[in-house]
Amino acid sequence: MSTFRLGERDFLLDGEPFRILSGALHYFRVHPAYWADRIHKARLLGLNTIETYVAWNAHELVRGEWSWDDGLDLGRFLDLVAAEKMHAIVRPGPYICAEWDNGGLPGWLSADPDVSVRRSEPRYLAEVTRYLQRVHEVVAPRQIERGGPVVLVQIENEYGAYSDDADYLRTLVEVTRRAGITVPLTTVDQPQDDMLAAGSLPELHRTASFGSRSRERLATLRRHQPGGPLMVMEYWDGWFDDWAGPHHVTDAGEAARDLDDLLSTGASVNLYMFHGGTNFGFTSGANHHESYAPIVTSYDYDAPLDEAGDPTAKYWAFREVIASYTEIPEERPAPPHPAPALTGSFDQVADLALVAERLGHWTRHEDPPTMDALGRFRGLTYYRTRVDPVRPARLELGEVRDRALAFVDGAPVGSWTRGDACAIDLAPGSAEMTLLVEDLGRVDYGPLIGEPKGVIGPARLEGRIHGGWEALPVRLELFDELLEAVGFVATGGKATPFGVPVFRIGTIVVDEPADLFLDTAGWGKGSVWINGFALGRFWHVGPQRTLYVPAPILRPGANQVLVLELEPGPGPALRTVPHPVLGGTAPVNHA
Ligand code: GLA
């Protein structure tokens, strides 16, 4: 069996110096039928290692309901890496950041306000221990010393940017070692003295994350990691996009020159990302620096392999650079070809409120509860209350997280985005006031991880607390149940006098399954499922105007398209276009 160790200046594979040339590829962002293809294309780029995070809340969205199924089969993913004769790096967090909902931490962890995450807090640690044991039941037997691909395991993620609880890190190490992990353990931090100092322990191997000025950053890392190999665990070769922002890109030539500069130092590297994939369903996270900024559905990342798994100019530029450092296979990935342009049609429509009532029931509360208090950690929730002012009155809410549509007696009266003052002017008389609140993704970086969603704080009518609320979560996660409810409510005519919010049911006919780009330009805001597979959100604020449809979810003949339409667009035309439209570009500055 092989060994993988830390040498004085190098990683040592079977005692020989070994440079890690790795690419980040998150199994939970790629359709499992494509894992082998993406891994193979990483090897054709000259890489020898695949790195993945593990997203806890993908596996255990509901406490105690763990899944390793289909797209979550980490063991199978690692076996495919091994089959390609590559090594693997696993970063199980428990916090991963990654522009992923809540940085991977399940919402239920922090639903109890007394549980604080990412520190030595007994209840949090008990859950984390359970989680890591479970993950390492899969990872431990796949370590290199046991004939598998795994050469490194990371502890936490950029912990120095968050806190400095060394006991917490020590516990993670103990739990990881007790779970049978024997390969070297690493940490990653941004190359700042304070972060590198706080984010690790002497017994862990420090690595860094950055996207430029490699030599200077490696020198900073060296000060904190005086021995052993230098590794950039995240070499940012692109960047993510926020709703309403630009599509971030880096120039392929410049990125390749940067990579060359980095490789010329002899350091090991993990390209973040090699292939970004997609935030399918409701899995995208958000940032909150000055204000809340939710992440788009595509995680293309302007990576060498694009969202559809095709090589880009950056792929070829990187391949040339990597070829000057190592031998690379002669085989080249096939060039991309345009996706079919198809049209389909919508034929039925169903009122969302009626669907929601078939999937759950209203519960009564004095003040509007948070989604978390309702045991809901993703998606949408209805709230309603009766008001009966004798004269014109103003109803005010605390905060909505993250977007709300307001209705009085069923008629839309406005929409708010988090941060807006939420007030409705009511006419005298009895009325029912309804809110549909959407969680646009939990913050994945900084102190707001784990914050509750929904309506925050009590409501006030003319300044006085207005109690007497009901809440109804929209259960979207069990697709068969959802479809049955939609089918029951659907009509061929108008579902509501106001057009939205509704489900639209449509069909698109495909001769032979191929990757598609669903055109959402002109659509308002909502989410799409095809044949029960949750593709993700669309929003007229852009930048993204198409949704990636992986071929393996399609079948020859009729394919069912379900669109949740929250805000109206000019009209629902159903069509696919030859190329993705990720929006107007802006260069990202990794200075
Ligand atoms: C940091 C995190 C990653 C990711 C990148 C930005 O390096 O560690 O998870 O969020 O930033 O894409």
Side-chain angles (χ1 to χ4, degrees), residues 166-181:
D167 287 341
Y168 166 52
L169 294 179
R170 228 167 268 129
T171 307
L172 294 183
V173 173
E174 275 165 31
V175 172
T176 304
R177 290 296 187 208
R178 251 188 283 125
I181 297 299

Side-chain angles (χ1 to χ4, degrees), residues 53 96-99 157-158 209 234 236 239-240 272 299 301:
Y53 279 127
I96 62 169
C97 192
E99 291 70 68
N157 194 76
E158 294 192 343
S209 53
E234 289 180 28
W236 302 326
W239 205 237
F240 54 85
Y272 191 98
Y299 201 63
Y301 214 84

